[in-house]
Amino acid sequence: MQLAVNVLVLAAIYALISCGYVLIYRVSRVLSLAHGELMMLGAYGLYMTASLFSGEPVIAVLVSVALAFTIGLAVYAALMRHMTGEAVLTAVLATIALGIFVRGFVVLVWTAQEQHPARLLGIENTSFPVPGDARISLVGILLLAVTAAVYLGLYVFLRYTAWGIRMRATGQNPLLAAQRGIRLHGVYALAWGLATLTGGLAGMLISIDTALEQTLVLIGLKAFPAALVGGLDSLAGALLGSLIIATAEVLLIYYVNPLLADAVPFLVLTAMLMVRPWGLLGTREELDRV
Amino acid sequence: MNPALLKLDQVEVTYHRVITAVQGVSLAVPRGAIVALLGTNGAGKTTVLRAISGFIGLDDARVTEGAIELAGARIENRPPYRITGLGIVLVPERDKVFPNLTVAENLRANVPRPGTDRRGLEAAIYEFFPALKALRGREAGYLSGGERQMLAIGAGLACGPELLLVDELSLGLSPLLVEELMHRLRAVREHLGITLLLVEQNAQVALAIADHAYILENGRVVLEGGAERLRAHGDIREFYLGQGASGRRNYREVKQYRRSRRWYG
Amino acid sequence: MSRHRSAALGDRLRTSYQAELALLDRRSRRVAFAALAAALAAFPFLASAFQLDLANQVLLASIGAVAFMLLTGYAGQVSLGHAGLLAAGAFTTGILYKELDAPIWATLPASALVGAALGLVFGLPSLRLRGLYLAVSTLALHFIVIYAGMEYEARRSYSTGVVIDPPAIGGWTLASPLAWYFVLLGFAAAAVLVALNLLRSRTGRAWRAIRGREAVAEALGIHVPAAKLLAFLVSSVMTAVAGCLFAYYRGFVSSEAFTLYVTIQYAAMIIIGGMGSILGAVLGTIFVTLFPYFIEYLVATLPVPQSWVDSIYAVNYAAFGLVMILFLVLEPQGLVGLWRRAKQYFLLWPFKQRPLRASQ
């Protein structure tokens, strides 16, 4: 039962992170390999607001979430906007370069030391008993709740709101969207903002759970196979992919070898790429877009 | 005569800085009129539409001479979103709907001109095209050609335009369907007061509903005039309406046509 | 043909196939090459120990960069598994040395073979995937190779890596930087020569066609899968050999040395250098290899906060990311693009190119 709890929490983490990959890819066909670093930046944002508003966790979290959204908008406006129209690979390399820059930037501003925003916020990560002789931490519960809320919110947003429909339209055919008056830059910026917001949320929660340090980026990188396995342009796929990878990881760590933890997502990804490169729920045609 | 809503004045469009696709094109679209732009393949009709709607930069082209004016304001070489914001909407020839969105979503996948009554417009569109209402929940990719064209026109209207540019409406559709769509367009003009500029290869159908028409050939306007007059014009009848003069055509007649091209109707 | 006339036509008059195919086909090129060769030969004797070490690093890296350029810059097959291939060569060397005490004339070919085999494996996805998805699959393979290396280290408890003695051939040991310089220069020159010749051949043309438009290449009768696999093969063999040399030069092998960052550095080399150009690969290598030292120099001389001096690797990261972004946004053609622009400016000065009437 504890295994099941672990799987669910890990899946929630991966799902929360991978919806960012999916959002950006679906709308602009760009694979943002800076997502892990932006996640970390979001977490450092929380650290910063936690120091400013120590003892008032709600305000700190709200401000840092808004900050993460703004950072996403800024990243698009300053960098990715210039990549529209370039080859996809160039855009991906730009995100890689951005990731490298953020990594250095973060250390220069906040040092490489491990930080503990939880302490600043006065949050205690108590664990709660769950039927079946298992335990779940407070952050675990939060993660599950937040991920569910985010996915529900995104679903409603994309399905029913005007801007959501515009985003989906832009993802399908940017030219036609522009012909209908939709401003592409605005849509792309919104995608980046939302992606950074959700990624940042994930980073914040993880940093409250354990600690804020450089390895946060690794988790971001491991979530990316989850997005691909499910299908890079499908949110539902991201959920499914996260569940699959989390299950594989937890089971293999428990029954085979703990060192496999970092390799498992990529093993699953490789298997998927051999069999069904566009993922479980992705659209097949994505394959031939180079 | 109504004042011109859209005016092209000696417009020249150049691709890749070296290829002149369209030269010396002047045309005027009066407010509330239906104007047809006719010509064979490669005549430059789509280029003109792109120049008007602002999507010309995509193919590395520019308006290098002349002016395009919308109600007096210059709009050539402006970014496309500005032009759609001013009320010019293009219904393209290809890729005219979002295939993975439903019909209803397609009608909402736009940013309408400021001041547009969305709800009212949507209701009006469903009235003009009742078939769309029945297909509201269907994904656009599953629509037939005719239904898709209807949706494309409806989606264009949903942007609240003053001027609707329709590119090759008749392509790939049965004659009956084309006729019906044309009649609907006329109804749209009557009830919504929208001006229409139709680019067509099918001159017969276009001249049936247009008020005024221009014939493009090799990037130049070779003939223009009221639709009635053009329908009766001998050369038009022969070369565009397929109603040739009796007997065999000889070279002298062809030369005559070429000569008449130098004159504007 | 009178001597007078052939002199007037200069070297453009070819009288044999051999003359047609020669790389140094013009007098000016021969002279330039001779000058370059002389400079390269004299350099180690005039440079300081530090500069010599830098040069060695550049030479070593250039082999990998040329290999990467062939695969991604010319054949258009995006591969993010480069560090994995380097690691494969290095680890083959290390493992053979430790387990079988193998000398360099065995480990080098072995590394090449392992590189070839792995290259085929890395190349298989390219038959089905393109662009992004291909990059991702090679990335996944990279992680798997590194994991294998880590497993080996864990099994043998080489927590800090495998230590290797300097290679010896006969009685002579390759240990001094000077000796390394000429050896590496030889390998680098060989790599460049192989690359240039391959590119001028049918294979090279096939690769360029595939990069341009794969469907058209296939329609032209090019056997696309074979060409792709060949690109991976050649590139990985070169890279694995570079990995082997790297192992000997450093004196030790550790899986921590082959991070994704290394792949990105090579990607930066070919991008900053300029895709689709061997000259670009070389220029990019020089730039990227020397860049950290340049940053170090800046940090030492300019007034910066102490924390920056302490975490110089972070300054490196941030600066490197920034420079890469600047090149991607402002000059996608890289250093070669800048070089060409400069050349054109000087060639045309004072006759600046007049724009055609229709342009702005």
Side-chain angles (χ1 to χ4, degrees), chain C residues 81-102:
Chain C
H82 206 64
L85 289 166
L86 280 171
F91 268 97
T92 309
T93 308
I95 294 176
L96 287 178
Y97 174 80
K98 272 298 186 218
E99 309 294 316
L100 304 174
D101 223 0

Side-chain angles (χ1 to χ4, degrees), chain A residues 232-256:
Chain A
L232 260 183
D233 63 340
S234 161
L235 277 179
L239 266 179
L240 190 57
S242 306
L243 208 56
I244 294 176
I245 298 222
T247 312
E249 195 173 322
V250 169
L251 289 178
L252 280 168
I253 292 180
Y254 190 71
Y255 289 114
V256 180

Side-chain angles (χ1 to χ4, degrees), chain C:
Chain C
M1 194 72 63
S2 72
R3 266 191 67 86
H4 188 67
R5 261 184 92 185
S6 53
L9 286 164
D11 306 301
R12 303 301 173 106
L13 180 65
R14 322 241 206 235
T15 49
S16 70
Y17 279 124
Q18 200 182 34
E20 179 72 35
L21 290 174
L23 269 173
L24 300 172
D25 52 350
R26 279 173 255 183
R27 165 93 66 88
S28 56
R29 283 203 183 154
R30 280 193 279 261
V31 167
F33 179 71
L36 180 66
L40 285 174
F43 174 80
F45 302 104
L46 305 170
S48 70
F50 175 65
Q51 288 167 338
L52 190 56
D53 179 54
L54 277 186
N56 282 345
Q57 283 187 42
V58 169
L59 288 171
L60 186 52
S62 63
I63 305 174
V66 167
F68 198 27
M69 179 66 85
L70 281 179
L71 182 61
T72 303
Y74 276 101
Q77 304 306 302
V78 182
S79 167
L80 290 183
H82 206 64
L85 289 166
L86 280 171
F91 268 97
T92 309
T93 308
I95 294 176
L96 287 178
Y97 174 80
K98 272 298 186 218
E99 309 294 316
L100 304 174
D101 223 0
I104 184 171
W105 52 260
T107 59
L108 194 60
S111 301
L113 274 173
V114 169
L118 218 56
L120 285 175
V121 171
F122 273 53
L124 280 174
S126 76
L127 302 179
R128 284 196 76 186
L129 309 170
R130 266 176 281 177
L132 210 55
Y133 287 90
L134 178 60
V136 166
S137 70
T138 53
L139 190 63
L141 287 170
H142 155 92
F143 278 111
I144 295 174
V145 168
I146 301 301
Y147 170 71
M150 286 203 299
E151 267 294 290
Y152 174 76
E153 282 179 350
R155 290 276 163 82
R156 293 274 189 255
S157 12
Y158 294 133
S159 50
T160 47
V162 180
V163 176
I164 307 183
D165 284 338
I169 307 189
W172 171 72
T173 316
L174 178 61
S176 76
L178 186 64
W180 267 113
Y181 176 83
F182 284 108
V183 167
L184 288 175
L185 184 61
F187 273 96
V192 169
L193 203 60
V194 166
L196 283 176
N197 277 327
L198 261 179
L199 289 172
R200 296 185 313 149
S201 75
R202 208 175 188 150
T203 315
R205 290 194 289 273
W207 288 346
R208 263 183 286 230
I210 294 175
R211 179 175 180 222
R213 239 351 130 86
E214 196 173 311
V216 175
E218 188 144 9
L220 285 174
I222 296 174
H223 196 277
V224 170
K228 283 185 180 178
L229 285 178
L230 188 61
F232 270 95
L233 196 73
V234 169
S235 171
S236 338
V237 166
M238 254 195 232
T239 313
V241 165
C244 165
L245 290 172
F246 177 78
Y248 279 119
Y249 184 71
R250 276 283 223 88
F252 99 163
V253 177
S254 151
S255 63
E256 288 169 356
F258 301 102
T259 59
L260 194 54
Y261 186 60
V262 170
T263 303
I264 293 171
Q265 279 179 305
Y266 278 96
M269 283 180 211
I270 67 170
I271 290 189
I272 292 180
M275 298 268 256
S277 154
I278 299 294
L279 173 63
V282 172
L283 288 178
T285 311
I286 298 178
F287 186 93
V288 173
T289 316
L290 298 182
F291 186 76
Y293 296 98
F294 176 66
I295 294 292
E296 233 180 87
Y297 168 76
L298 279 183
V299 168
T301 48
L302 294 178
V304 290
Q306 182 59 33
S307 63
W308 284 27
V309 178
D310 294 336
S311 14
I312 186 128
Y313 76 95
V315 179
N316 238 329
Y317 266 43
F320 185 65
L322 205 56
V323 167
M324 219 175 137
I325 288 176
L326 284 172
F327 265 97
L328 281 170
V329 173
L330 297 174
E331 180 54 271
Q333 283 200 29
L335 291 170
V336 165
L338 287 175
W339 163 255
R340 284 186 190 141
R341 267 194 237 255
K343 220 164 61 160
Q344 199 168 42
Y345 181 80
F346 283 112
L347 277 175
L348 291 176
W349 185 86
F351 306 107
K352 278 251 198 86
Q353 182 192 28
R354 275 181 43 133
L356 296 171
R357 189 184 69 90
S359 73
Q360 72 275 21

Side-chain angles (χ1 to χ4, degrees), chain A residues 6-39:
Chain A
N6 291 352
V7 165
L8 278 178
V9 173
L10 188 59
I13 295 178
Y14 284 157
L16 192 55
I17 302 173
S18 52
C19 78
Y21 285 115
V22 169
L23 268 174
I24 294 178
Y25 184 76
R26 188 167 166 173
V27 169
S28 64
R29 290 288 171 274
V30 168
L31 182 59
S32 166
L33 288 176
H35 200 57
E37 281 86 356
L38 289 175
M39 217 179 87

Side-chain angles (χ1 to χ4, degrees), chain A residues 156-228:
Chain A
V156 167
F157 172 71
L158 287 175
R159 210 73 209 289
Y160 298 113
T161 65
W163 275 104
I165 295 180
R166 287 172 194 151
M167 273 181 85
R168 285 164 59 205
T170 308
Q172 282 178 33
N173 190 340
L175 176 58
L176 186 58
Q179 284 164 345
R180 301 261 177 94
I182 299 174
R183 287 195 62 169
L184 298 182
H185 284 317
V187 169
Y188 294 149
L190 183 60
W192 273 86
L194 285 175
T196 315
L197 191 158
T198 55
L201 254 180
M204 290 177 219
L205 285 169
I206 299 176
S207 71
I208 297 180
D209 184 25
T210 47
L212 174 54
E213 38 156 13
Q214 296 276 314
T215 57
L216 210 63
V217 179
L218 262 179
I219 303 182
L221 197 59
K222 291 204 305 179
F224 146 71
L228 259 155

